[in-house]
Amino acid sequence: MALTSRLARRADLPELLPLIDAAIGELQKGFLDEAQIASSRSIMGIDTQLVDDGTYFVVESAGSLAGCGGWSRRATLYGGDHSQGRDPALLDPARDPAKVRGMYTHPSFVRRGVGRLILARCEKAAAAEGFRMLELMSTLAGRPLYEAAGFVPVEQVEDPAGGVPVRLVRMRKPIAAPAS
């Protein structure tokens, strides 16, 4: 199965939204109960600012969407367009970590390298802009992928925004400067 990746476009949104919905609904089973999965929909989703900033990727396989995700040079750590507490302030690469955001894999493509491909694209792009650290807020379902990719937990939190608290893990990873 060959995977390809490219920058997302606004025109991709009608296809990305069902992929994200399927990922939230299916991939958290075994980590969250049904009430927590329903609650997590209020704190998860696509942030179109990433698409507009040119930092959001789409992964495809044989013409099918396999996943999406990106990174941000803005202060918001997680959440979608509908989430509270978003902060569009630009980060300082000399002191702030770039944020890995909105990572979703279609359930049909789990454990096939989709997440790793997106993380590699994020790391390379953030390093090219001078960032030396990546940070993300992981779901419990995503934590094994991020740990395998070198992220370490720095804080566990609960987000009650959807009415039922959802456990999340803030994680970080140092990244190297691009080779000259």
Side-chain angles (χ1 to χ4, degrees):
M1 172 189 81
L3 297 174
T4 59
S5 63
R6 61 174 173 80
L7 287 174
R9 302 177 295 264
R10 283 256 177 179
D12 295 319
L13 293 177
E15 290 183 76
L16 290 176
L17 296 176
L19 180 151
I20 291 168
D21 187 59
I24 292 170
E26 292 299 317
L27 302 183
Q28 295 187 96
K29 290 179 179 174
F31 295 92
L32 302 177
D33 64 32
E34 289 299 320
Q36 291 170 314
I37 291 171
S39 185
S40 71
R41 292 181 190 283
S42 70
I43 60 173
M44 299 173 78
I46 195 159
D47 182 344
T48 53
Q49 181 69 63
L50 303 178
V51 176
D52 294 342
D53 285 349
T55 61
Y56 203 68
F57 304 103
V58 169
V59 175
E60 298 171 311
S61 176
S64 295
L65 285 180
C68 55
W71 70 281
S72 183
R73 58 182 76 86
R74 297 182 185 275
T76 300
L77 179 57
Y78 69 100
D81 287 344
H82 59 280
S83 301
Q84 298 293 319
R86 295 161 42 89
D87 183 353
L90 291 173
L91 300 168
D92 178 355
R95 69 170 207 273
D96 300 319
K99 313 300 186 197
V100 173
R101 305 269 322 277
M103 298 275 297
Y104 301 98
T105 300
H106 189 283
S108 299
F109 290 93
V110 172
R111 304 190 65 78
R112 297 186 188 182
V114 173
R116 283 191 178 270
L117 175 58
I118 294 168
L119 288 172
R121 294 278 318 256
C122 291
E123 184 172 333
K124 182 178 179 182
E129 290 197 20
F131 288 94
R132 297 295 164 256
M133 180 76 64
L134 293 176
E135 180 177 56
L136 57 82
M137 188 65 84
S138 176
T139 63
L140 298 181
R143 184 175 177 171
L145 165 69
Y146 302 128
E147 286 181 331
F151 286 83
V152 296
V154 295
E155 176 185 24
Q156 293 194 30
V157 301
E158 285 190 348
D159 190 324
V164 175
V166 176
R167 290 185 14 220
L168 302 168
V169 182
R170 180 188 298 254
M171 304 180 82
R172 287 193 176 153
K173 176 186 178 179
I175 56 176
S180 356

